[in-house]
Amino acid sequence: QVQLVESGGGLVQAGGSVRLSCAASGRTFSDYAMGWFRQAPGKEREFVAAVSGSGRSTDYTDSVKGRFTISRDNAKNTLYLQMNSLKPEDTAVYYCAASSRWSTITRGDCDYWGQGTQVTVSS
């Protein structure tokens, strides 16, 4: 089974930046599309960004386009989410996930999930 562990969350002021990391176990990391999701209090889990196994294709939800960048380092089995120009509405628990299918990852149809890391953006 693939294990995913997020890190890098914390408290940041509006307009600031945070980089989240997701460390994955296993030797087949590059076979999986990877994504970031978030869940704010009182809201359902929301797709944020995804990257294909090779790292050559990405997708973002509209609210983060131009501010967030998803990337991966397959040699390190690590997924990243660079978050710039943060807004209070970005406050949420952020989860990384792995999917064997690129076509369904934005729907949250993933094979593995991390435990999440809290990001709080203060105004």
Side-chain angles (χ1 to χ4, degrees):
Q1 299 295 316
V2 174
Q3 299 290 326
L4 303 173
V5 181
E6 303 94 337
S7 63
L11 177 64
V12 62
Q13 290 185 316
S17 298
V18 168
R19 188 178 75 158
L20 304 182
S21 298
C22 174
S25 66
R27 298 179 293 176
T28 58
F29 180 63
S30 63
D31 292 340
Y32 291 90
M34 300 291 295
W36 288 99
F37 298 78
R38 65 187 181 187
Q39 187 167 21
K43 295 185 178 180
E44 295 184 349
R45 186 177 61 199
E46 173 191 23
F47 167 75
V48 177
V51 60
S52 63
S54 68
R56 291 180 291 183
S57 298
T58 59
D59 194 16
Y60 300 89
T61 191
D62 287 344
S63 64
V64 308
K65 289 180 179 177
R67 300 189 298 121
F68 291 10
T69 302
I70 188 170
S71 62
R72 64 194 298 159
D73 186 338
N74 286 342
K76 297 181 178 180
N77 283 6
T78 303
L79 173 74
Y80 303 98
L81 184 67
Q82 179 66 47
M83 304 189 294
N84 298 327
S85 302
L86 284 163
K87 304 174 181 180
E89 50 262 46
D90 294 318
T91 295
V93 176
Y94 284 72
Y95 300 89
C96 66
S99 174
S100 60
R101 297 184 177 183
W102 169 254
S103 61
T104 59
I105 191 168
T106 60
R107 303 172 186 173
D109 185 12
C110 301
D111 301 293
Y112 304 100
W113 293 87
Q115 294 178 313
T117 184
Q118 176 72 47
V119 175
T120 302
V121 183
S122 64
S123 60

